Amino acid sequence: MRIGVDVGGTFTDITLSTENGLVTAKTPTTEDQTVGVVRGIEKVCDAEGVEASEVEGTVHATTVGVNALLEGEGARTAVVTTEGFGDVPEIRRQTRDELYDLCAERAPPVVPSERRFEVDERATVDGTERRVDEEEIRDLPLDGIESVAVCYLHSYAHPENEEETARVLRDEFDGHVSVSSDVLAEFREYERASTTAIDAYVTPVVSGYLRRLNERLGEIGVPEPRVMSSNGGVKSPERVAETAVDTVMSGPAGGVVGASTYGDRVVSFDMGGTSTDVGLVRDGVERTTGTVVEGAHIGVPSVDVTTVGAGGGSIARTDDGGALRVGPDSAGSEPGPACYGRGGERPTVTDADVLLGYVRDGKGLGDEITVDADAAREALSALDGFDDVTEAALGVRRVADEKTARAVRSVTVERGYDPSEFVLVGFGGAGPGHAASVAGSLGIERVVVPRPAGVLSAYGILCADEKAEASRTLTEGEGVEEVLRKLEDEARDGVGEGCLVRRYADIRYTGQGTELTVRVGRPFDTDEAREAFEEEHATRYGYTMEEEVRVVSVRAEAVVERTPPATGGNNGGAEVDVRDAVFSEGVYETAFYDGVPEGTVETPAVVEYGEATAVVPPGWNARVEGGDLYMEAEG
């Protein structure tokens, strides 16, 4: 038996994989996340009638790292850098999110200027010109500092000064030390400096949390957890304690990995209470080598996820011009949507779904919430510009669906892919209720709602492979094959023997400022690499060039593959009731399944899963196989 744990902002999701399938649970996320995790594990074990000590393994995705960034509660960090380059984290790049806003403000760097120390050392791409002075490092004013990031110019090519600095610091300094040549041995000073500073900022917090969690799990006999990484793989707590920056996006990564078990060409559609996360699976999970969180650049490989501020709790309003807006502000879990009866008065997407009849009046949501359709009606009636409250509810749902559809377009159409060639996998608390509507607007004809839809990120964590990666920017004259072989050995060390090794190269045309990452063979072949690059370039941008191509950086990934656990059978014999529900096409008699049926589903339909509700609108056929709901557009 293995357990997957995904800690979210509102709920902690738990999946227990057994011989009979999955046991799932949700428990409120606690201020000390370890408390909620242990409660959730005990809850699923009690439901299955087993002792927690019988669990053989645990895999965990945590929001501790990203929360530290968002809330400014990481370790008190200092940066040690080359003289003259202390302001690199402040200067960043020329690109701006608000191009025409002259007063736009950027989030401050995680390390302020008074804790960025410059030392007299220098290296170029050709070699070390000036060695670091050991005494200068010993004299750095580090009183009150908990963590240090070391990032010198061109250390990706010549790390000797960084290594010497780290040795001195670890002898003299009682705290964590992050070294850029270990964290991100790649060129581009800002990206490397930012990533290293963030690693130093979050690693003490994340490793401290994992120590506390391991102690609590030990008290109930559960083994030490493996940890989900942003790249869609898992790694040991020991490796996290060294470098935790690649756990910042671990939660969203789990959802995309879970969706990837439903096909080779998949759009993952994770709609929760506050936002919607969209990812792409194209012969493997699509990844990116750079992520931005609150204005801070993180340059480690991550599952490529696009997020928009539209979820079940997103608040609807009419703006000064009379246009209907949905999100990004959310009712959250407290007070929540008006229909929760907990003091919320502003209309939300969930209130619209209740009024349209997809969520029945009086339905219990956990032990504390009972759906109140009258409260939803009252909140929606406050929206201006509509003839009646039903029209308002349809408008709210339509705007929310279009907003999330734009996110799907951004990972398909805008990258040269035809959405109709993909299956949309809808999950999260609200995703199954909106998946078919969003798919229909994009020409996607197949939708899957997984049996564990409400906790798919926790299920995806159980599916994740063990992974270790290594990368380095090439210097003039270096042989690509030679560097790749060294990186392969480094990656293998992270997971042990019996692993599969994959190779990648970041390639661009001469004169271009950005690269595309493509898979390359062993041994490295220049012509094959160019062919793979140009195929990807043509897909993304619609053209290729006659220019020379340049391999800028290379990567190796060591993987120990894991077989996804079965999601289980089905509830079978679900009770069905027929009631009216409102769709954009009109009012329809709708089959409401209280539980998960098996076989062909009468449509239109609403299927109530344990942690989510799926909506099959008119014009779609549906069937259930093994608890998974498959929808296909008619015609």
Side-chain angles (χ1 to χ4, degrees), residues 126-202:
D126 298 320
T128 302
E129 291 188 350
R130 192 159 57 251
R131 301 288 297 183
V132 69
D133 183 348
E134 183 175 322
E135 290 305 313
E136 186 177 6
I137 303 303
R138 294 185 190 280
D139 291 340
L140 290 172
L142 299 180
D143 290 343
I145 298 298
E146 300 170 307
S147 187
V148 176
V150 182
C151 185
Y152 291 153
L153 197 67
H154 297 299
S155 60
Y156 63 90
H158 297 282
E160 296 83 9
N161 279 350
E162 280 194 351
E163 292 168 351
E164 176 66 10
T165 300
R167 182 190 65 77
V168 174
L169 286 173
R170 287 167 179 150
D171 286 343
E172 301 288 325
F173 171 65
D174 185 22
H176 177 76
V177 179
S178 293
V179 183
S180 78
S181 50
D182 292 334
V183 175
L184 186 67
E186 298 180 25
F187 79 142
R188 295 194 173 101
E189 290 310 302
Y190 164 63
E191 286 77 2
R192 186 157 51 85
S194 175
T195 304
T196 308
I198 292 170
D199 182 65
Y201 188 72
V202 303

Side-chain angles (χ1 to χ4, degrees), residues 49 103 105 113 202 254 270 304 307 349 546 580 587 601 630:
C103 300
E105 295 184 1
S113 59
V202 303
D270 179 6
D304 194 358
T307 301
V349 175
E546 297 298 325
D580 284 346
V587 180
V601 174
Y630 295 86

Side-chain angles (χ1 to χ4, degrees), residues 32 34 205 207-217:
D32 179 355
T34 64
V205 179
S207 59
Y209 163 77
L210 291 175
R211 282 195 300 271
R212 296 194 306 275
L213 176 62
N214 194 40
E215 290 173 3
R216 285 186 176 273
L217 294 181

Side-chain angles (χ1 to χ4, degrees), residues 56 155 294 361:
E56 299 165 352
S155 60
E294 283 295 287
D361 188 25

